[in-house]
Amino acid sequence: PITEHSELLLSNTIIEGIVGQGKSILMRQLCNSAVKLSLIPIFIELRMISEAHTLTSLIIDYMDAAGMNGGNHIFNYLADKNKIVLILDGFDEIPTKLIKNTVYQISHLQKVHDELKIIISSRPSQAVQNLAGFEIQTMAQLTEDDYELFLRKLVPDPTIRFNIQSAISGAPQNIKGVITTPLMLTLLVQVYHIETEIPETLSDF
């Protein structure tokens, strides 16, 4: 398994995770890791793709906004010199009718620029997972061992934090079974703040 962000930047990678696992946050953190490796991160939110704005045009727009003028010529130069990394967030948010063309553009970039690294985030079972030449890394689910460290970020008060942990420990298994992502743990904390207890059924939760 991958443990360091920098390892994800060494090859073409698809980061796979369900809703609420923090894929977008990880992708933004990868931008910082890329800078530390002397790479220029080009961060694209794939939900912005439309008939008027293809992946290629979004990349050029991003570079122009960042002061890297020169269009495709500059992109091709930087890509061939291994100076940039494409960080493409949210493949599952691309409009359905534009998926095929976007997959083609990603594949084309990969074939034309051997040195270019492309990192893509997506929910499971999307068309992008079928692309050759990409390693799929699946985000790990939260376990009970992860709760304390995460709760320290959410709940500064140690007494309240202890009460929440105790409530989670005593919660029914069907409730524990859905607390596998940062989003669900955050929602549980919000519910506890309001109700001072954890609901006993999924429907109540």
Side-chain angles (χ1 to χ4, degrees):
I2 298 294
T3 57
E4 298 292 336
H5 289 172
S6 57
E7 294 181 54
L8 292 169
L9 299 168
L10 299 178
S11 60
N12 293 323
T13 305
I14 296 169
I15 297 172
E16 181 181 273
I18 61 175
V19 177
Q21 272 194 295
K23 297 185 297 296
S24 293
I25 292 174
L26 173 58
M27 296 295 272
R28 285 170 171 79
Q29 291 174 337
L30 286 176
C31 291
N32 295 330
S33 298
V35 172
K36 292 178 182 178
L37 293 175
S38 299
L39 294 170
I40 301 170
I42 296 180
F43 180 83
I44 304 295
E45 293 181 277
L46 295 177
R47 63 183 178 85
M48 301 302 293
I49 287 178
S50 66
E51 291 184 356
H53 300 286
T54 65
L55 173 60
T56 303
S57 66
L58 288 176
I59 291 171
I60 299 305
D61 288 347
Y62 182 96
M63 293 178 63
D64 288 342
M68 293 181 284
N69 300 316
N72 286 322
H73 176 73
I74 294 300
F75 173 81
N76 292 336
Y77 173 81
L78 293 173
D80 290 337
K81 295 296 183 182
N82 193 24
K83 296 297 184 182
I84 58 177
V85 56
L86 285 185
I87 299 179
L88 311 179
D89 183 39
F91 182 90
D92 51 279
E93 298 183 58
I94 299 172
T96 302
K97 63 182 179 180
L98 301 176
I99 289 176
K100 185 175 181 180
N101 183 56
T102 303
V103 169
Y104 172 80
Q105 288 187 51
I106 294 171
S107 178
H108 181 72
L109 287 170
Q110 175 196 17
K111 292 174 181 176
V112 172
H113 304 291
D114 293 337
E115 297 299 322
L116 176 64
K117 297 299 181 288
I118 305 173
I119 317 298
I120 307 167
S121 71
S122 177
R123 294 183 193 180
S125 304
Q126 299 292 314
V128 73
Q129 275 91 332
N130 297 322
L131 269 176
F134 281 78
E135 296 181 9
I136 297 178
Q137 298 291 341
T138 302
M139 295 186 72
Q141 294 185 340
L142 288 182
T143 67
E144 290 192 45
D145 292 337
D146 300 316
Y147 293 167
E148 182 177 0
L149 185 60
F150 194 86
L151 288 171
R152 286 180 186 174
K153 301 289 186 180
L154 294 176
V155 186
D157 188 301
T159 301
I160 297 176
R161 188 166 64 245
F162 174 79
N163 290 339
I164 292 175
Q165 287 181 276
S166 298
I168 293 175
S169 297
Q173 191 58 45
N174 63 335
I175 296 295
K176 290 182 180 179
V178 300
I179 311 173
T180 58
T181 68
L183 176 61
M184 293 305 292
L185 184 54
T186 301
L187 290 175
L188 182 140
V189 169
Q190 297 303 315
V191 169
Y192 186 88
H193 282 319
I194 296 170
E195 304 290 341
T196 65
E197 65 180 6
I198 295 176
E200 295 186 358
T201 66
L202 281 176
S203 59
D204 288 340
F205 181 45

